C-alpha cells in the first residue's frame, strides 16, 4: 500500500495541484503576453507554453507556467489568433537568441 505525505490535512500531490486548479484567467491580452514573456525570461529552462483549442465551444486557451508562476488566458475572438501568432514569434525569438542579444 502506497503511503502519501500529508501537508496540512491534504496530500502533497493535492497541495501541489491545487495551486494550478484555481488559477484565474487574466482579463486582458496585454497582461497575459507581458506575464508570459516575464515567466519565460525568469526561468527559460522550466517554462512551458500550452495552447488548447476547443472546437465544440470555439474557445482558445493559453497557459504559461514554470511550476511556480502560472498565467492563463481564454478567448473566443478570432482577432486574438493574430495576437497569438505575435506572441509565438516573440517567445521563439527569446528562445533562439543568446541572453545578451535579447533586450530587457
Amino acid at each position: 500500500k502506497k503511503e502519501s505525505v500529508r501537508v496540512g490535512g491534504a496530500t502533497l500531490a493535492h497541495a501541489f495541484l491545487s495551486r494550478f486548479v484555481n488559477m484565474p484567467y487574466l482579463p486582458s491580452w496585454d497582461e497575459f503576453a507581458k506575464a508570459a514573456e516575464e515567466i519565460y525570461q525568469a526561468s527559460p529552462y522550466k517554462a512551458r507554453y500550452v495552447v488548447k483549442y476547443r472546437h465544440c465551444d470555439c474557445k482558445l486557451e493559453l497557459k504559461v507556467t514554470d511550476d511556480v508562476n502560472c498565467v492563463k488566458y481564454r478567448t473566443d475572438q478570432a482577432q486574438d489568433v493574430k495576437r497569438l501568432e505575435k506572441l509565438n514569434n516573440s517567445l521563439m525569438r527569446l528562445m533562439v537568441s543568446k541572453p545578451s542579444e535579447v533586450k530587457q
Side-chain angles (χ1 to χ4, degrees):
K1 189 175 179 181
K2 210 180 220 184
E3 290 198 28
S4 58
V5 177
R6 307 286 291 177
V7 176
T11 63
L12 186 59
H14 182 267
F16 176 76
L17 292 176
S18 66
R19 291 188 303 174
F20 298 110
V21 172
N22 297 321
M23 288 299 303
Y25 289 89
L26 292 179
S28 80
W29 174 263
D30 295 331
E31 288 179 46
F32 173 77
K34 182 179 178 186
E37 288 183 6
E38 288 174 357
I39 287 174
Y40 177 77
Q41 289 176 339
S43 55
Y45 294 108
K46 293 179 98 180
R48 294 185 308 281
Y49 176 47
V50 179
V51 178
K52 181 168 64 171
Y53 178 71
R54 290 179 43 95
H55 183 68
C56 62
D57 54 1
C58 298
K59 296 246 188 228
L60 178 67
E61 296 183 13
L62 309 167
K63 177 174 135 179
V64 178
T65 184
D66 64 356
D67 292 332
V68 176
N69 301 307
C70 179
V71 292
K72 294 168 131 183
Y73 182 77
R74 181 185 311 169
T75 186
D76 59 358
Q77 302 296 312
Q79 67 190 16
D80 286 334
V81 174
K82 251 323 184 198
R83 292 177 175 167
L84 169 64
E85 186 178 345
K86 287 181 182 178
L87 178 63
N88 281 339
N89 290 339
S90 176
L91 290 173
M92 286 298 212
R93 181 182 52 82
L94 289 172
M95 290 175 189
V96 299
S97 63
K98 293 179 184 174
S100 62
E101 294 176 0
V102 177
K103 64 179 181 178
Q104 296 294 328

